[in-house]
Amino acid sequence: MTERNRLRIAVQKSGRLCEGSMELLKAIGVKLSIRDRLLIAHATNLPIDLLRVRDDDIPGLVMDGVVDLGFIGENELEEKMLERQAQGKQFQYKTLERLEFGGCRLSLAVPNEMDYQSVQSLQGKKVATTYPFLLERFFREQNVNAKAVMLNGSVEVAPRAGLADAICDLVSTGATLEANGLVEKDVIFRSKAVLIQRGGEMPDGKQQLIDKLLTRINGVMQARE
Ligand code: PRT
Ligand code: ZN
């Protein structure tokens, strides 16, 4: 395949999805020579290039057709989809596989001392989150008039800092919430890592390669069950 026809896959450069994605690629036989800090890594045995980026950029790269495939958390994917929908931008993509890593939940959590009966208790309150579109959708569905306050980091300290009354953040073990005097109340979204494909036509060679990779992924997942 020519340079242009090499399959481009976006993966998180470092972080919670990085190990799972790289390990899966290795398990399905993609051999890489990755040198630290390089944006692009070329596979040595298949016509595949890896684009190593921040996870936040992956949905957009796939939806804009800049890359062919991407490994991403469903939370980030759904948030970016809602954001694009609100902006009237296109958000076409196809989920190829739900994967067995990156599991977490997006939950509402409140300070220990707060009286919380149901999500209705948040009426008129401010809720800090990195996922304002997912949170606002949930508030709309629940008929709650609360305000999502966007924070890109340190969400769990927002109530103590007086920036918000409650938070909506990703949880896996719950240790971070506990350490910050917060109690998990309602799960608004459950997430795992997924492999997604861009919309639009795929040249034959690339589609065959994608099909081959998917068959191998299914084989690896079955063997691990
Ligand atoms: O640098 P870059 O932008 O690429 O990375 P990032 O810091 O934005 O993301 P990263 O690596 O933290 O998370 C990437 C993805 O991993 C998320 O979008 C989720 O799909 C998934 N994931 C799974 C998690 C967690 N588990 C998780 N526990 N993402 C974040 N957390 C954080 C959470 O925000 C909180 O701060 O871990 C803390 C809670 O963990 P517990 O175990 O204390 O509950
Ligand atoms: Zn990120």
Side-chain angles (χ1 to χ4, degrees), residues 12 54-56 76:
Q12 188 187 27
R54 290 199 57 176
D55 72 331
D56 317 51
E76 198 63 48

Side-chain angles (χ1 to χ4, degrees), residues 115-135:
D115 178 29
Y116 184 102
Q117 302 301 324
S118 73
V119 62
Q120 303 300 327
S121 308
L122 294 177
Q123 192 71 29
K125 306 263 193 232
K126 290 203 270 292
V127 182
T129 189
T130 312
Y131 300 93
F133 286 94
L134 283 168
L135 179 57

